[in-house]
Amino acid sequence: MSYLEELKVKIENMFSPEKCYFPKENLLSFLVSNSEVRGALSYLKDVEGFKHFVMLSCVDWLEEGKFELVYIVWHPEKKVNAMVKTKIDREKAEFQSLHDMWRQICTYEREIWEMFGVNFIGHPRLEPFILEDWKDMPPMRRDFDTLHYVNEHYEWREGREESYKPRDYIGEAFDEWRKK
Amino acid sequence: MCTDNPGVWEYIANWARKHSIWVLAYGTGCGAIEMPPTMTSRYDAERFGLRGAATPRQADLLIISGYLATKTLKRVIRTYEQMYDPKYVLALGSCTINGGMYWDSYNTIKKLDLYIPVDVYVAGCMPRPEAIIEGIIALQKRIEEGRAEGAKKYRENIEWYKKNQREVFGDEMLPDYTWNFEGGI
């Protein structure tokens, strides 16, 4: 029994993960409820020794009406990753800020606040990061219509619309290839 | 030197300008990675009189190397306004021409020549160093013929350029002091 399989049993006993599986050989992924995220991460960090925070990412599940926050941590001695996921409501997108656990979470949360509009309660510095003077809805949300925005704000160069469209050009070949 | 009054001195000046183009080392997009091979020994752009300049006030040529986010465009325009006349712009890649693969991106501009005057466009995604050198030769030809007058065009149509820039930047417009000081640009 490898280290990650043992860890999986421990996690299943300690928390109530919904999906606990191995997407890759050295990666354990599990989905927990909102209140268990801090506990799971601090267990991984302080007890198991996942000392390095890799990244925080956000996935927009538009059909479910949820945002999924993904925390990835790395164990420098065992050379394995763990992925803690949680789903928050899309309408009232709020989550607790975890910047006190790893300081680099600050930057990730600031970016997710800007690009997805998730409000992180207790974050010390939620202010514009990459976008300047942005007035529309957060652009990384899936219901943000980029083409509509472009038509409103930018001018097209003439002739572009008559140029060949790769989708039409390779369409049949692509469909055949996909059937295989 | 006044470009309104072409004569033999202007011809000599343009001949000299053509052979000594200082490029501002400012990479904007993915094309910035095509600059080192262009400049160094493999393609050696220095045989055309091209060299790197450290600051905008020392440079003649601004190479826009790839896509421009609105945030980068603001910096590019400020840089362009700080450069001294005569100044030229060489735009690389399809992104500067019509948006390229970022055609439906929410923060990339689609037409560069709405915001600053462009002398030569080099098509490609990205153009290789050979194509960049081809563009530089085309620019040299324009300079020699006295047609590379982007600075004059910008000065004369400043209201049109500023109107286009304001449409993109909105409230966070550039400050006036880079172009509207006493004596103009």
Side-chain angles (χ1 to χ4, degrees):
Chain A
M1 206 174 184
S2 72
Y3 170 72
L4 267 190
E5 283 163 352
E6 285 172 18
L7 182 68
K8 185 185 172 202
V9 175
K10 282 185 208 166
I11 294 280
E12 276 169 349
N13 290 335
M14 208 172 300
F15 306 100
S16 50
E18 265 183 45
K19 276 190 286 182
C20 200
Y21 71 114
F22 304 101
K24 284 198 311 195
E25 200 181 320
N26 60 346
L27 174 64
L28 171 67
S29 161
F30 55 97
L31 181 81
V32 291
S33 67
N34 289 354
S35 55
E36 284 177 342
V37 172
R38 183 179 276 273
L41 278 173
S42 65
Y43 170 74
L44 288 174
K45 183 189 179 187
D46 297 334
V47 182
E48 293 294 334
F50 285 81
K51 290 215 162 41
H52 177 70
F53 185 78
V54 180
M55 63 175 284
L56 163 64
S57 167
C58 184
V59 185
D60 187 355
W61 296 100
L62 182 64
E63 292 81 5
E64 290 178 39
K66 298 274 186 191
F67 281 128
E68 187 179 58
L69 296 174
V70 185
Y71 296 82
I72 304 177
V73 286
W74 163 253
H75 197 309
E77 280 133 34
K78 310 270 187 194
K79 313 283 184 208
V80 286
N81 287 305
M83 201 191 247
V84 183
K85 298 177 184 174
T86 189
K87 285 193 176 174
I88 56 173
D89 199 14
R90 206 169 175 282
E91 294 300 313
K92 193 171 172 289
E94 271 184 357
F95 198 64
Q96 48 183 324
S97 175
L98 300 179
H99 68 275
D100 51 309
M101 299 186 71
W102 285 277
R103 286 190 65 191
Q104 60 266 40
I105 292 191
C106 247
T107 311
Y108 287 109
E109 284 179 348
R110 192 172 157 198
E111 190 184 356
I112 288 172
W113 170 79
E114 183 169 60
M115 291 297 180
F116 290 91
V118 179
N119 184 24
F120 286 95
I121 297 159
H123 191 284
R125 199 182 166 199
L126 283 184
E127 56 188 65
F129 180 35
I130 295 167
L131 304 172
E132 277 183 350
D133 192 30
W134 186 260
K135 295 194 186 67
D136 221 292
M137 71 188 290
M140 285 292 186
R141 288 192 175 205
R142 270 174 64 206
D143 50 356
F144 173 73
D145 191 349
T146 51
L147 192 56
H148 179 69
Y149 183 86
V150 167
N151 280 329
E152 273 188 352
H153 287 80
Y154 300 103
E155 200 172 316
W156 295 103
R157 189 179 294 282
E158 300 77 21
R160 167 120 208 170
E161 65 281 349
E162 285 171 18
S163 60
Y164 93 109
K165 287 174 186 153
R167 186 66 189 83
D168 298 343
Y169 191 73
I170 60 170
E172 287 175 22
F174 179 75
D175 291 339
E176 274 176 31
W177 172 79
R178 200 161 52 177
K179 271 178 210 161
K180 279 176 194 173
Chain B
M1 191 175 281
C2 177
T3 46
D4 293 329
N5 188 12
V8 65
W9 292 113
E10 189 59 23
Y11 177 79
I12 292 169
N14 280 337
W15 174 82
R17 282 168 189 155
K18 169 188 155 187
H19 289 294
S20 160
I21 300 175
W22 291 70
V23 184
L24 181 65
Y26 181 60
T28 57
C30 45
I33 207 70
E34 304 288 337
M35 288 289 107
T38 315
M39 290 299 186
T40 50
S41 62
R42 178 70 177 86
Y43 291 98
D44 192 17
E46 204 168 324
R47 66 205 151 108
F48 299 99
L50 232 72
R51 289 201 67 182
T55 70
R57 290 179 208 284
Q58 295 164 333
D60 301 311
L61 174 62
L62 177 60
I63 295 187
I64 311 290
S65 49
Y67 63 86
L68 279 174
T70 50
K71 196 171 177 177
T72 323
L73 178 69
K74 202 178 281 179
R75 276 80 184 161
V76 162
I77 290 169
R78 283 193 73 159
T79 311
Y80 180 74
E81 285 171 352
Q82 286 176 35
M83 286 163 66
Y84 283 129
D85 195 1
K87 50 189 174 184
Y88 318 111
V89 178
L90 180 73
L92 306 183
S94 41
C95 294
T96 51
I97 298 173
N98 60 7
M101 62 187 283
Y102 299 100
W103 60 282
D104 66 346
S105 166
Y106 58 89
N107 64 348
T108 342
I109 56 149
K110 314 300 168 215
K111 282 168 81 174
L112 178 61
D113 47 298
L114 286 176
Y115 312 104
I116 51 174
V118 180
D119 287 296
V120 176
Y121 277 116
V122 181
C125 180
M126 273 311 284
R128 281 181 56 80
E130 294 97 328
I132 298 175
I133 287 171
E134 197 69 34
I136 287 161
I137 292 170
L139 177 70
Q140 285 181 332
K141 209 175 166 194
R142 268 179 82 94
I143 295 172
E144 194 177 19
E145 291 167 359
R147 290 191 292 126
E149 293 190 333
K152 193 179 159 198
K153 198 176 155 195
Y154 191 69
R155 196 161 53 226
E156 283 171 0
N157 303 308
I158 187 81
E159 273 141 29
W160 185 76
Y161 283 113
K162 287 289 158 192
K163 180 180 76 67
N164 292 335
Q165 291 168 14
R166 202 169 287 118
E167 275 174 19
V168 178
F169 300 139
D171 298 338
E172 302 226 341
M173 190 55 193
L174 296 155
D176 275 357
Y177 54 77
T178 44
W179 60 275
N180 201 12
F181 55 86
E182 200 180 342
I185 26 176

